[in-house]
Amino acid sequence: MADDRERAEILVTGVHKRINDAFQVFDHDLNKTVDVREIGAIVRSLGCFPTEAELLDIIDEVEEPNGFICFERFLPTMSKILMENKFRPIPEDTLLKAFEVLDQQKKGHLEPNELTEYMRQGDEPFTQLEMEEMLSSAVEPDSNLIYYKDFVNMMVLDGER
């Protein structure tokens, strides 16, 4: 029984660390708050892909009256989402295939403007902020290209491979 409890504690600790790390990336003032507009990027960076309506439900649950999200309110909500495997992440091979479809010349990379154009299409296009956040982590600074195999590896949660 103690082993199960230890494993559960280790799992919860790992989930909390991942949530904290993702939150800190967007906590520009280092005050344990983020702008409500950044929650979509944080949730997606944790490998969850809710619809826009589902994302609004999450925001309704954790948003403070001032338009910010406090880490203390976000942590339990996001922990529950991750522990219950809600908004299941897209499998690595599916993400890779999607990028390969976009890479019609099979170069192994996309240019930022190509990806931006695709991100503006579809039923739920990315917001400008979401595009900027994604590109900031996807674009290789030296070449100004998106090597999507590397990007997919970075996006996929270790536990989901």
Side-chain angles (χ1 to χ4, degrees), residues 65-116:
N66 61 4
F68 284 86
I69 306 292
C70 291
F71 180 73
E72 290 75 26
R73 287 191 70 184
F74 182 70
L75 180 64
T77 299
M78 197 65 218
S79 295
K80 183 177 180 196
I81 289 168
L82 289 176
M83 299 297 284
E84 293 177 355
N85 285 318
K86 281 188 170 180
F87 318 122
R88 297 223 13 114
I90 298 170
E92 182 176 7
D93 62 334
T94 303
L95 283 172
L96 192 55
K97 285 177 188 172
F99 277 105
E100 288 170 348
V101 167
L102 301 179
D103 180 16
Q104 294 179 357
Q105 286 101 21
K106 308 297 179 216
K107 303 172 289 190
H109 65 268
L110 296 171
E111 295 186 21
N113 61 336
E114 290 177 290
L115 186 57
T116 300

Side-chain angles (χ1 to χ4, degrees), residues 32-56:
K32 297 214 178 258
T33 64
V34 295
D35 188 293
V36 69
R37 295 171 293 186
E38 295 177 309
I39 287 300
I42 295 170
V43 170
R44 288 182 187 97
S45 77
L46 289 165
C48 297
F49 299 91
T51 65
E52 202 60 34
E54 292 165 332
L55 185 60
L56 289 174

